[in-house]
Protein backbone atom coordinates (compact mmCIF):
# COMPACT_ATOMS: atom_id res chain seq x y z
CA UNK A 1 0.00 0.00 0.00
CA UNK A 2 1.29 3.43 -0.91
CA UNK A 3 2.32 5.86 1.82
CA UNK A 4 1.34 8.79 -0.38
CA UNK A 5 -1.72 10.40 1.31
CA UNK A 6 -2.97 11.53 -2.12
CA UNK A 7 -3.39 7.87 -3.05
CA UNK A 8 -6.34 7.74 -0.63
CA UNK A 9 -8.04 10.83 -2.03
CA UNK A 10 -11.18 10.73 -4.16
CA UNK A 11 -14.18 12.99 -4.75
CA UNK A 12 -15.50 12.41 -1.20
CA UNK A 13 -12.33 13.08 0.76
CA UNK A 14 -10.30 13.25 2.84
CA UNK A 15 -11.02 16.90 3.58
CA UNK A 16 -8.11 17.33 6.01
CA UNK A 17 -5.19 15.28 7.27
CA UNK A 18 -3.17 16.28 10.33
CA UNK A 19 0.11 14.68 11.33
CA UNK A 20 1.14 15.43 14.91
CA UNK A 21 4.57 14.65 16.27
CA UNK A 22 5.89 15.82 19.63
CA UNK A 23 9.03 13.76 19.97
CA UNK A 24 9.91 15.07 23.46
CA UNK A 25 6.57 13.76 24.75
CA UNK A 26 6.47 10.60 22.66
CA UNK A 27 3.29 11.74 20.88
CA UNK A 28 2.85 10.56 17.31
CA UNK A 29 -0.60 10.75 15.77
CA UNK A 30 -2.51 11.14 12.54
CA UNK A 31 -6.00 12.61 12.24
CA UNK A 32 -8.02 12.13 9.06
CA UNK A 33 -11.15 14.23 8.60
CA UNK A 34 -12.66 12.44 5.65
CA UNK A 35 -15.83 14.31 4.76
CA UNK A 36 -17.83 16.96 6.62
CA UNK A 37 -20.70 17.58 4.18
CA UNK A 38 -23.27 16.08 6.58
CA UNK A 39 -21.79 17.96 9.57
CA UNK A 40 -18.70 17.92 11.79
CA UNK A 41 -16.93 14.56 11.58
CA UNK A 42 -17.33 12.10 14.47
CA UNK A 43 -14.76 9.33 14.71
CA UNK A 44 -12.83 7.38 17.29
CA UNK A 45 -9.33 7.94 18.62
CA UNK A 46 -7.49 4.62 18.40
CA UNK A 47 -4.37 4.08 20.50
CA UNK A 48 -2.24 1.09 19.57
CA UNK A 49 1.49 0.41 19.40
CA UNK A 50 1.14 -0.77 15.79
CA UNK A 51 -1.41 1.82 14.63
CA UNK A 52 -0.79 3.12 11.10
CA UNK A 53 -1.77 6.19 9.10
CA UNK A 54 -3.32 3.87 6.52
CA UNK A 55 -5.67 2.56 9.21
CA UNK A 56 -6.77 6.14 9.93
CA UNK A 57 -7.55 6.79 6.24
CA UNK A 58 -9.57 3.59 5.84
CA UNK A 59 -11.44 3.93 9.13
CA UNK A 60 -12.22 7.61 8.49
CA UNK A 61 -13.97 6.67 5.22
CA UNK A 62 -15.81 3.88 7.01
CA UNK A 63 -17.07 6.50 9.49
CA UNK A 64 -18.22 8.78 6.65
CA UNK A 65 -20.31 5.89 5.36
CA UNK A 66 -21.53 4.80 8.78
CA UNK A 67 -22.63 8.29 9.87
CA UNK A 68 -24.24 9.13 6.52
CA UNK A 69 -26.01 5.78 6.27
CA UNK A 70 -27.32 6.25 9.81
CA UNK A 71 -28.71 9.64 8.77
CA UNK A 72 -26.67 11.54 11.37
CA UNK A 73 -25.77 15.22 10.97
CA UNK A 74 -22.10 14.20 11.03
CA UNK A 75 -19.30 13.40 8.66
CA UNK A 76 -16.58 10.82 9.25
CA UNK A 77 -13.09 11.02 10.69
CA UNK A 78 -10.61 8.94 12.62
CA UNK A 79 -7.42 9.39 14.63
CA UNK A 80 -4.65 7.01 15.50
CA UNK A 81 -2.13 7.62 18.27
CA UNK A 82 0.90 5.36 18.15
CA UNK A 83 1.51 4.05 21.67
CA UNK A 84 0.81 1.25 24.11
CA UNK A 85 -2.68 1.93 25.53
CA UNK A 86 -1.66 0.19 28.78
CA UNK A 87 1.09 2.76 29.53
CA UNK A 88 1.09 4.29 33.03
CA UNK A 89 -1.93 6.54 33.65
CA UNK A 90 0.02 9.84 34.09
CA UNK A 91 1.93 9.27 30.82
CA UNK A 92 -1.30 8.42 29.00
CA UNK A 93 -2.98 11.54 30.36
CA UNK A 94 -0.09 13.72 29.14
CA UNK A 95 -0.27 12.18 25.67
CA UNK A 96 -4.05 12.43 25.41
CA UNK A 97 -4.05 16.05 26.62
CA UNK A 98 -1.26 16.98 24.19
CA UNK A 99 -3.15 15.27 21.38
CA UNK A 100 -6.26 17.26 22.31
CA UNK A 101 -4.31 20.54 22.28
CA UNK A 102 -2.93 19.66 18.84
CA UNK A 103 -6.43 19.17 17.38
CA UNK A 104 -7.97 22.23 19.07
CA UNK A 105 -8.14 24.09 15.76
CA UNK A 106 -9.62 21.15 13.91
CA UNK A 107 -13.10 22.23 14.90
CA UNK A 108 -14.87 20.05 12.34
CA UNK A 109 -13.62 16.89 14.08
CA UNK A 110 -15.27 15.49 17.22
CA UNK A 111 -13.21 12.69 18.82
CA UNK A 112 -14.79 9.58 20.33
CA UNK A 113 -13.51 6.45 22.09
CA UNK A 114 -12.04 3.53 20.15
CA UNK A 115 -9.60 0.69 20.79
CA UNK A 116 -7.14 1.82 23.46
CA UNK A 117 -9.10 4.89 24.59
CA UNK A 118 -12.14 5.16 26.84
CA UNK A 119 -14.61 7.61 28.33
CA UNK A 120 -11.94 8.90 30.75
CA UNK A 121 -9.70 9.82 27.78
CA UNK A 122 -12.68 11.55 26.14
CA UNK A 123 -13.25 13.47 29.38
CA UNK A 124 -9.62 14.70 29.22
CA UNK A 125 -10.04 15.78 25.59
CA UNK A 126 -13.31 17.59 26.36
CA UNK A 127 -11.57 19.30 29.28
CA UNK A 128 -8.84 20.57 26.94
CA UNK A 129 -10.86 21.61 23.89
CA UNK A 130 -14.53 21.46 24.85
CA UNK A 131 -15.57 18.73 22.43
CA UNK A 132 -15.61 14.92 22.44
CA UNK A 133 -18.27 12.21 22.56
CA UNK A 134 -18.45 9.05 24.67
CA UNK A 135 -17.95 11.14 27.82
CA UNK A 136 -18.19 9.98 31.44
CA UNK A 137 -21.75 10.07 32.81
CA UNK A 138 -20.69 12.70 35.41
CA UNK A 139 -20.12 15.29 32.67
CA UNK A 140 -23.19 14.51 30.59
CA UNK A 141 -22.05 11.35 28.80
CA UNK A 142 -24.22 8.37 27.92
CA UNK A 143 -22.25 5.17 28.69
CA UNK A 144 -22.97 3.46 25.38
CA UNK A 145 -21.29 0.13 26.17
CA UNK A 146 -22.99 -0.10 29.56
CA UNK A 147 -26.45 0.53 28.10
CA UNK A 148 -25.71 -1.72 25.12
CA UNK A 149 -26.36 0.80 22.32
CA UNK A 150 -24.58 -1.22 19.61
CA UNK A 151 -25.95 -4.62 20.71
CA UNK A 152 -29.50 -3.28 20.93
CA UNK A 153 -29.14 -1.77 17.46
CA UNK A 154 -27.71 -5.02 16.09
CA UNK A 155 -30.66 -6.95 17.52
CA UNK A 156 -33.00 -4.48 15.77
CA UNK A 157 -31.17 -5.08 12.48
CA UNK A 158 -31.50 -8.85 12.99
CA UNK A 159 -35.22 -8.44 13.72
CA UNK A 160 -35.72 -6.65 10.37
CA UNK A 161 -33.53 -9.12 8.43
CA UNK A 162 -35.11 -12.24 9.91
CA UNK A 163 -38.61 -10.94 9.05
CA UNK A 164 -37.32 -10.25 5.54
CA UNK A 165 -36.35 -13.90 4.99
CA UNK A 166 -39.41 -15.27 6.83
CA UNK A 167 -37.47 -16.50 9.85
CA UNK A 168 -39.40 -16.03 13.10
CA UNK A 169 -37.11 -14.68 15.82
CA UNK A 170 -38.93 -16.77 18.40
CA UNK A 171 -37.00 -20.03 18.38
CA UNK A 172 -34.29 -18.76 15.98
CA UNK A 173 -30.86 -20.19 16.87
CA UNK A 174 -28.19 -17.57 17.56
CA UNK A 175 -24.40 -18.05 17.79
CA UNK A 176 -22.29 -15.15 19.08
CA UNK A 177 -18.53 -14.85 18.60
CA UNK A 178 -17.16 -12.48 21.25
CA UNK A 179 -19.16 -11.98 24.44
CA UNK A 180 -18.13 -8.37 25.17
CA UNK A 181 -20.09 -5.12 25.09
CA UNK A 182 -21.62 -5.82 21.68
CA UNK A 183 -22.07 -9.60 21.88
CA UNK A 184 -23.60 -9.63 25.38
CA UNK A 185 -26.25 -7.01 24.66
CA UNK A 186 -27.13 -8.58 21.30
CA UNK A 187 -27.64 -11.98 22.95
CA UNK A 188 -29.68 -10.44 25.76
CA UNK A 189 -31.95 -8.47 23.41
CA UNK A 190 -32.53 -11.48 21.12
CA UNK A 191 -33.16 -13.88 24.01
CA UNK A 192 -35.76 -11.40 25.29
CA UNK A 193 -37.52 -11.81 21.91
CA UNK A 194 -37.59 -15.60 22.27
CA UNK A 195 -34.46 -16.47 20.28
CA UNK A 196 -32.35 -19.42 21.46
CA UNK A 197 -28.67 -18.68 22.03
CA UNK A 198 -26.94 -21.93 21.05
CA UNK A 199 -23.26 -20.87 21.24
CA UNK A 200 -21.12 -18.03 22.57
CA UNK A 201 -17.37 -17.54 22.69
CA UNK A 202 -14.68 -15.29 24.12
CA UNK A 203 -10.90 -15.37 23.96
CA UNK A 204 -10.76 -18.37 26.31
CA UNK A 205 -13.14 -20.66 24.44
CA UNK A 206 -16.71 -21.41 23.39
CA UNK A 207 -19.71 -22.99 25.04
CA UNK A 208 -22.31 -24.74 22.89
CA UNK A 209 -25.79 -26.11 23.62
CA UNK A 210 -28.25 -26.75 20.77
CA UNK A 211 -31.06 -26.70 23.36
CA UNK A 212 -30.13 -23.13 24.36
CA UNK A 213 -27.77 -21.52 26.86
CA UNK A 214 -28.86 -19.54 29.91
CA UNK A 215 -28.02 -15.99 28.79
CA UNK A 216 -28.61 -14.42 32.23
CA UNK A 217 -26.18 -16.91 33.79
CA UNK A 218 -23.58 -16.10 31.11
CA UNK A 219 -24.02 -12.35 31.72
CA UNK A 220 -23.52 -12.89 35.46
CA UNK A 221 -20.30 -14.84 34.79
CA UNK A 222 -18.96 -12.02 32.61
CA UNK A 223 -19.95 -9.42 35.25
CA UNK A 224 -17.78 -11.33 37.73
CA UNK A 225 -14.86 -11.16 35.27
CA UNK A 226 -15.13 -14.81 34.19
CA UNK A 227 -15.22 -16.51 30.81
CA UNK A 228 -18.16 -18.08 28.98
CA UNK A 229 -16.40 -21.44 29.45
CA UNK A 230 -17.16 -21.16 33.18
CA UNK A 231 -20.83 -21.76 32.30
CA UNK A 232 -21.99 -24.99 33.96
CA UNK A 233 -24.24 -26.30 31.21
CA UNK A 234 -23.41 -27.02 27.56
CA UNK A 235 -20.36 -28.38 25.81
CA UNK A 236 -17.04 -26.53 26.00
CA UNK A 237 -14.98 -26.10 22.87
CA UNK A 238 -12.13 -24.09 21.37
CA UNK A 239 -13.03 -20.44 20.70
CA UNK A 240 -12.91 -21.04 16.95
CA UNK A 241 -15.53 -23.83 17.17
CA UNK A 242 -18.29 -21.21 17.32
CA UNK A 243 -17.86 -20.89 13.53
CA UNK A 244 -19.07 -24.47 12.96
CA UNK A 245 -22.19 -24.38 15.13
CA UNK A 246 -25.37 -24.79 13.05
CA UNK A 247 -27.53 -21.72 13.63
CA UNK A 248 -29.92 -19.27 11.97
CA UNK A 249 -28.07 -16.06 12.89
CA UNK A 250 -24.30 -15.91 13.30
CA UNK A 251 -23.03 -12.80 15.10
CA UNK A 252 -19.35 -11.86 14.83
CA UNK A 253 -18.72 -9.40 17.70
CA UNK A 254 -14.99 -9.72 18.32
CA UNK A 255 -12.30 -9.01 15.73
CA UNK A 256 -11.86 -7.99 12.07
CA UNK A 257 -11.39 -10.58 9.29
CA UNK A 258 -12.59 -13.60 11.30
CA UNK A 259 -14.45 -15.00 8.28
CA UNK A 260 -12.26 -15.41 5.23
CA UNK A 261 -12.12 -17.42 2.03
CA UNK A 262 -10.48 -20.32 3.91
CA UNK A 263 -13.19 -20.72 6.58
CA UNK A 264 -16.37 -19.21 5.11
CA UNK A 265 -17.63 -22.66 4.05
CA UNK A 266 -17.69 -23.72 7.69
CA UNK A 267 -20.54 -21.32 8.49
CA UNK A 268 -23.93 -23.01 8.64
CA UNK A 269 -26.36 -20.11 9.04
CA UNK A 270 -28.98 -18.03 7.25
CA UNK A 271 -27.86 -14.57 8.45
CA UNK A 272 -24.45 -13.15 9.37
CA UNK A 273 -25.10 -10.05 11.48
CA UNK A 274 -21.87 -8.06 11.59
CA UNK A 275 -21.42 -6.53 15.03
CA UNK A 276 -17.63 -6.21 14.75
CA UNK A 277 -16.12 -3.88 12.16
CA UNK A 278 -15.15 -5.68 8.91
CA UNK A 279 -15.41 -9.18 10.43
CA UNK A 280 -15.93 -10.75 6.98
CA UNK A 281 -13.49 -10.21 4.11
CA UNK A 282 -14.91 -8.96 0.79
CA UNK A 283 -14.23 -12.33 -0.84
CA UNK A 284 -16.01 -14.24 1.94
CA UNK A 285 -18.94 -11.84 1.84
CA UNK A 286 -19.42 -12.54 -1.87
CA UNK A 287 -19.22 -16.29 -1.17
CA UNK A 288 -21.98 -15.92 1.44
CA UNK A 289 -24.13 -13.93 -0.99
CA UNK A 290 -23.67 -16.60 -3.67
CA UNK A 291 -24.85 -19.22 -1.15
CA UNK A 292 -27.95 -17.18 -0.28
CA UNK A 293 -26.72 -16.23 3.20
CA UNK A 294 -27.78 -12.71 4.16
CA UNK A 295 -24.76 -10.71 5.41
CA UNK A 296 -25.86 -7.54 7.22
CA UNK A 297 -23.21 -4.87 6.54
CA UNK A 298 -21.27 -3.80 9.63
CA UNK A 299 -21.66 -0.06 9.17
CA UNK A 300 -25.46 -0.34 8.99
CA UNK A 301 -25.99 -3.01 11.64
CA UNK A 302 -23.43 -1.83 14.24
CA UNK A 303 -24.11 1.92 14.05
CA UNK A 304 -25.86 1.95 17.45
CA UNK A 305 -22.77 3.26 19.24
CA UNK A 306 -22.23 6.27 17.02
CA UNK A 307 -25.96 7.05 16.91
CA UNK A 308 -25.86 7.10 20.72
CA UNK A 309 -22.75 9.33 20.64
CA UNK A 310 -24.49 11.75 18.29
CA UNK A 311 -27.52 11.97 20.60
CA UNK A 312 -25.13 12.65 23.50
CA UNK A 313 -23.37 15.40 21.52
CA UNK A 314 -26.69 17.10 20.78
CA UNK A 315 -27.72 17.00 24.46
CA UNK A 316 -30.22 14.08 24.30
CA UNK A 317 -30.98 11.67 27.12
CA UNK A 318 -30.28 7.94 27.41
CA UNK A 319 -33.92 7.12 26.64
CA UNK A 320 -33.83 9.27 23.51
CA UNK A 321 -30.55 7.61 22.48
CA UNK A 322 -31.98 4.08 22.71
CA UNK A 323 -35.18 5.02 20.89
CA UNK A 324 -33.13 6.73 18.15
CA UNK A 325 -30.85 3.70 17.75
CA UNK A 326 -33.84 1.40 17.32
CA UNK A 327 -35.69 3.68 14.92
CA UNK A 328 -32.72 4.56 12.69
CA UNK A 329 -31.27 1.05 12.46
CA UNK A 330 -34.63 -0.51 11.60
CA UNK A 331 -35.32 2.08 8.91
CA UNK A 332 -31.85 1.88 7.35
CA UNK A 333 -31.67 -1.92 7.46
CA UNK A 334 -35.07 -2.11 5.79
CA UNK A 335 -33.98 0.30 3.05
CA UNK A 336 -30.67 -1.51 2.43
CA UNK A 337 -32.40 -4.90 2.07
CA UNK A 338 -35.03 -3.43 -0.26
CA UNK A 339 -32.40 -1.64 -2.40
CA UNK A 340 -30.24 -4.79 -2.57
CA UNK A 341 -33.18 -6.84 -3.84
CA UNK A 342 -34.40 -4.21 -6.27
CA UNK A 343 -30.95 -3.69 -7.80
CA UNK A 344 -29.75 -7.30 -7.58
CA UNK A 345 -26.66 -6.37 -5.54
CA UNK A 346 -25.21 -7.39 -2.18
CA UNK A 347 -26.50 -5.61 0.94
CA UNK A 348 -23.04 -4.04 1.30
CA UNK A 349 -23.13 -2.61 -2.23
CA UNK A 350 -26.62 -1.25 -1.51
CA UNK A 351 -25.43 0.22 1.81
CA UNK A 352 -22.44 1.96 0.21
CA UNK A 353 -24.67 3.36 -2.53
CA UNK A 354 -27.11 4.66 0.10
CA UNK A 355 -24.30 6.28 2.12
CA UNK A 356 -22.64 7.85 -0.94
CA UNK A 357 -25.94 9.19 -2.20
CA UNK A 358 -26.56 10.89 1.18
CA UNK A 359 -23.03 12.35 1.28
CA UNK A 360 -23.27 13.65 -2.29
CA UNK A 361 -26.71 15.18 -1.63
CA UNK A 362 -25.25 16.91 1.45
CA UNK A 363 -22.22 18.09 -0.58
CA UNK A 364 -24.56 19.79 -3.06
CA UNK A 365 -26.02 22.06 -0.38
CA UNK A 366 -22.70 22.98 1.22
CA UNK A 367 -20.88 26.21 0.45
CA UNK A 368 -17.28 25.59 -0.56
CA UNK A 369 -14.85 26.57 2.22
P1 LIG B 1 -15.18 -5.91 23.90
O1 LIG B 1 -13.72 -5.80 24.14
O2 LIG B 1 -16.14 -5.44 24.95
O3 LIG B 1 -15.57 -7.43 23.58
C1 LIG B 1 -14.87 -8.22 22.66
C2 LIG B 1 -15.11 -9.66 23.04
O4 LIG B 1 -14.56 -10.48 22.03
C3 LIG B 1 -14.47 -10.09 24.36
O5 LIG B 1 -15.40 -10.89 25.06
C4 LIG B 1 -13.28 -10.94 23.92
O6 LIG B 1 -12.98 -11.95 24.86
C5 LIG B 1 -13.83 -11.53 22.65
N1 LIG B 1 -12.83 -12.00 21.68
C6 LIG B 1 -11.70 -11.41 21.26
N2 LIG B 1 -11.08 -12.19 20.34
C7 LIG B 1 -11.86 -13.28 20.21
C8 LIG B 1 -11.76 -14.45 19.42
N3 LIG B 1 -10.75 -14.61 18.59
N4 LIG B 1 -12.74 -15.39 19.53
C9 LIG B 1 -13.78 -15.21 20.36
N5 LIG B 1 -13.93 -14.12 21.13
C10 LIG B 1 -12.97 -13.18 21.06
O7 LIG B 1 -15.43 -5.15 22.51
P2 LIG B 1 -16.81 -4.62 21.94
O8 LIG B 1 -16.97 -3.19 22.31
O9 LIG B 1 -17.90 -5.58 22.24
O10 LIG B 1 -16.50 -4.62 20.38
C11 LIG B 1 -16.50 -5.83 19.63
C12 LIG B 1 -16.30 -5.49 18.17
O11 LIG B 1 -17.34 -4.64 17.72
C13 LIG B 1 -15.01 -4.75 17.83
O12 LIG B 1 -14.57 -5.15 16.57
C14 LIG B 1 -15.45 -3.29 17.79
O13 LIG B 1 -14.59 -2.53 16.95
C15 LIG B 1 -16.81 -3.44 17.18
N6 LIG B 1 -17.73 -2.34 17.47
C16 LIG B 1 -18.00 -1.99 18.74
C17 LIG B 1 -18.90 -0.97 18.99
C18 LIG B 1 -19.27 -0.57 20.40
O14 LIG B 1 -20.14 0.27 20.53
N7 LIG B 1 -18.68 -1.12 21.42
C19 LIG B 1 -19.53 -0.30 17.93
C20 LIG B 1 -19.24 -0.71 16.61
C21 LIG B 1 -18.34 -1.74 16.41
Amino acid sequence: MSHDPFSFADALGPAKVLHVQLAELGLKAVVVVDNTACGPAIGGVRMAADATAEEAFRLARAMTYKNAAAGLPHGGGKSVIVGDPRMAAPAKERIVRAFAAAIAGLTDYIPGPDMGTDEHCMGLIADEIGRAVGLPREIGGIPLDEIGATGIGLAAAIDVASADIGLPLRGARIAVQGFGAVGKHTAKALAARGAVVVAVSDTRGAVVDPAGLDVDALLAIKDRGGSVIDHRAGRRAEADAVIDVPCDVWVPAARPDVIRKDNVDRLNTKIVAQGANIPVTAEAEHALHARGVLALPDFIANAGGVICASVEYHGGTEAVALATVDEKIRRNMRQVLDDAKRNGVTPRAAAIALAEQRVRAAMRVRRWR
Side-chain angles (χ1 to χ4, degrees):
M1 183 65 70
S2 163
H3 294 289
D4 174 6
F6 289 114
S7 69
F8 291 94
D10 62 16
L12 295 190
K16 291 176 190 168
V17 180
L18 177 69
H19 176 215
V20 184
Q21 181 149 305
L22 270 173
E24 60 279 27
L25 203 71
L27 170 64
K28 197 171 150 189
V30 171
V31 186
V32 178
V33 179
D34 184 52
N35 187 293
T36 57
C38 294
I42 289 188
V45 181
R46 175 167 293 192
M47 186 187 280
D50 58 354
T52 64
E54 183 191 328
E55 218 175 329
F57 281 96
R58 289 177 55 205
L59 294 168
R61 175 56 53 86
M63 288 308 296
T64 296
Y65 285 157
K66 184 182 283 197
N67 295 345
L72 300 177
H74 291 288
K78 201 83 180 188
S79 310
V80 296
I81 300 178
V82 180
D84 180 353
R86 290 158 304 179
M87 71 177 79
K92 189 164 180 176
E93 174 162 348
R94 270 195 304 278
I95 291 212
V96 170
R97 283 190 183 278
F99 169 77
I103 64 165
L106 210 54
T107 51
D108 46 11
Y109 171 58
I110 303 160
D114 197 82
M115 272 166 53
T117 62
D118 57 12
E119 57 187 38
H120 177 70
C121 296
M122 294 310 117
L124 299 175
I125 294 177
D127 184 47
E128 290 291 329
I129 63 171
R131 59 175 201 281
V133 288
L135 298 169
R137 204 194 279 273
E138 295 71 24
I139 56 169
I142 303 175
L144 60 94
D145 280 341
E146 191 184 309
I147 67 171
T150 302
I152 286 170
L154 188 60
I158 292 168
D159 204 2
V160 170
S162 58
D164 191 73
I165 62 165
L167 169 76
L169 256 194
R170 179 158 294 282
R173 296 163 303 160
I174 316 290
V176 182
Q177 182 191 52
F179 210 58
V182 176
K184 280 188 304 190
H185 286 283
T186 308
K188 190 176 165 188
L190 293 175
R193 292 191 180 102
V196 181
V197 177
V198 293
V200 297
S201 68
D202 59 25
T203 42
R204 290 179 52 203
V207 58
V208 183
D209 190 345
L213 297 161
D214 181 343
V215 174
D216 286 336
L218 286 164
L219 293 171
I221 290 168
K222 291 305 271 188
D223 280 349
R224 293 196 298 271
S227 161
V228 295
I229 59 171
D230 300 333
H231 190 44
R232 288 181 195 284
R235 172 177 66 84
R236 285 185 198 185
E238 302 263 293
D240 207 35
V242 76
I243 298 175
D244 305 291
V245 175
C247 59
D248 300 304
V249 183
W250 197 78
V251 181
R255 310 277 311 148
D257 295 337
V258 293
I259 298 299
R260 304 167 303 270
K261 190 181 164 195
D262 61 292
N263 66 2
V264 65
D265 290 339
R266 287 168 50 192
L267 281 179
N268 182 354
T269 186
K270 299 185 177 78
I271 294 173
V272 174
Q274 304 182 17
N277 292 319
I278 46 166
V280 183
T281 65
E283 236 177 347
E285 209 170 69
H286 277 108
L288 288 172
H289 187 66
R291 264 166 55 194
V293 177
L294 190 51
L296 312 185
D298 48 4
F299 68 89
I300 300 291
N302 75 11
V306 75
I307 295 171
C308 183
S310 168
V311 170
E312 174 192 296
Y313 184 73
H314 295 279
T317 62
E318 200 170 302
V320 169
L322 287 178
T324 310
V325 166
D326 189 76
E327 189 254 341
K328 280 188 180 294
I329 294 210
R330 280 178 193 279
R331 180 152 38 89
N332 292 322
M333 196 68 249
R334 170 84 277 138
Q335 181 165 352
V336 164
L337 295 178
D338 289 349
D339 289 355
K341 264 187 268 181
R342 193 173 47 250
N343 300 324
V345 297
T346 62
R348 179 169 301 274
I352 291 174
L354 171 70
E356 286 193 348
Q357 174 215 319
R358 286 183 180 168
V359 174
R360 286 182 200 284
M363 285 169 87
R364 283 197 290 276
V365 300
R366 291 299 293 258
R367 181 168 64 88
W368 182 86
R369 29 179 205 169

